[in-house]
Amino acid sequence: MSGLAIALRIPRRDFVLDVDLRLPADGITAIFGPSGSGKTTLLRGVAGLERPERARVVIGDAAWEDSERGLVLPTHRRPLGYVFQEASLFDHLDVAGNLRFARKRSGSAAPLEPLLDLLGIASLLHRRPHELSGGERQRVAIARALATQPRILLLDEPLAAVDLARRREILPWLEKLRDELEIPMLYVTHSGDEVARLADHLVLLEGGRVRASGPLAETLARVDLAAVPGEEAGALLGGTLVERDARWQLAQVRFAGGTLWIADPGLPMGQAVRVRVLARDVSLALQPPAASSIQNVLACTVRAIAPGAHPSQALVQLACGESLLLARVTARAVDALGLAEGVPVLAQVKSAALVA
């Protein structure tokens, strides 16, 4: 199906949500921002749970709401799945009963077995919600939302109510959903780690307005944003594990722009991974170093330069093949090296780590 078109103006007590977005038709779009920025209001607007002053919500070729045409599809007629912070399962039903209820209410006749396999809950079918861990309850809640065969899945901080151990338990399942489902997911979070690990597309909200929206790697590497609020400036590289150095416990990641050696995560070769490179860990040179402890050196071109957080600093955006990096250097270094848009440089990456 085609993408999502979401235009909403929803007055709230302390702010007005006013957004106009075009989003991908699949994968995870992270809705990120501080408390009170409008993240949950955006999801509720898509679901039809808010009364907007103005709205246009189109999922693929289906218009759910269009205030100019007087069209408002009620929530119960919108084919969507909604997952909240709390799992909100029916305590009087076991897991199988919760899933059957969702399927019956939506009129779906689709078999449940693929969902059981997708989320690893086949062994939980005869348990009641109080017999499940927090991570298991959230996986069942996601399965129940998907049992309705929705055209979009809305997730409102699904990991906020679980501890770190349960969060680590659920994240691989969310990655599996991202990779295997062919529907779009809007994922509200205030965690930069969840954004880096899960998202394909990023929407930054601030005070009810869209501060930025775009593919994750490109948006994280924008110099005009400096960093996702609350997170340190850096770039995200998607790549594949291609080589292992058993002697030194290193593994090589190939990405669209070069290769990087990282600490060996113990994953199989050929595994797709995401690597985070902080701007503070990238230095720049015009000539190859004669002898250096830095093992990762990439040929790049300066794409943009912006002032840093302090007048003494600058943030440099680099194009390394098809990938983007950020480097934080001093303004004096920019002047001394004659850095400007289009200048070829060598990016010396002092440290890089898998997103996990």
Side-chain angles (χ1 to χ4, degrees), residues 81-225:
Y82 207 129
V83 180
F84 301 89
Q85 289 185 24
E86 298 290 345
S88 303
L89 300 173
F90 295 121
D91 289 330
H92 65 289
L93 298 176
D94 60 13
V95 170
N98 271 275
L99 297 178
R100 284 195 299 267
F101 176 86
R103 188 172 59 170
K104 181 179 179 181
R105 186 172 182 182
S106 68
S108 170
L112 292 174
E113 285 74 15
L115 279 182
L116 305 182
D117 294 338
L118 184 64
L119 287 157
I121 59 172
S123 63
L124 309 177
L125 288 177
H126 301 298
R127 294 191 199 175
R128 295 287 182 89
H130 70 272
E131 299 175 307
L132 304 175
S133 71
E136 289 169 340
R137 281 197 298 271
Q138 263 320 22
R139 281 191 280 148
V140 172
I142 294 170
R144 189 177 66 173
L146 292 173
T148 64
Q149 289 194 298
R151 295 195 68 183
I152 186 172
L153 183 62
L154 309 176
L155 302 105
D156 192 358
E157 300 200 56
L159 304 185
V162 298
D163 59 27
L164 180 60
R166 299 296 176 265
R167 193 172 301 137
R168 288 174 174 167
E169 171 196 329
I170 300 172
L171 278 167
W173 298 104
L174 291 173
E175 288 176 317
K176 192 175 181 183
L177 289 180
R178 177 198 64 205
D179 296 339
E180 297 190 19
L181 287 184
E182 296 182 354
I183 63 171
M185 290 174 272
L186 301 187
Y187 187 99
V188 163
T189 182
H190 61 269
S191 167
D193 289 340
E194 290 174 30
V195 170
R197 180 160 176 176
L198 297 174
D200 302 294
H201 193 92
L202 177 61
V203 174
L204 295 178
L205 284 185
E206 188 173 309
R209 301 295 195 275
V210 176
R211 187 179 174 204
S213 177
L216 178 65
E218 292 180 19
T219 306
L220 290 178
R222 282 176 53 175
V223 292
D224 58 323
L225 292 176

Side-chain angles (χ1 to χ4, degrees), residues 263-334:
D264 187 357
L267 298 172
M269 294 298 101
Q271 174 84 35
V273 294
R274 293 183 177 193
V275 177
R276 181 83 162 137
V277 180
L278 297 180
R280 70 180 184 188
D281 292 327
V282 179
S283 62
L284 302 178
L286 299 181
Q287 300 293 333
S292 173
S293 64
I294 298 175
Q295 301 289 293
N296 294 313
V297 180
L298 302 170
C300 305
T301 302
V302 174
R303 183 166 167 175
I305 302 174
H310 187 273
S312 66
Q313 295 181 338
L315 196 61
V316 183
Q317 186 189 62
L318 306 166
C320 307
E322 298 176 6
S323 300
L324 297 176
L325 281 183
L326 291 177
R328 179 180 288 126
V329 299
T330 64
R332 183 167 66 180
V334 170

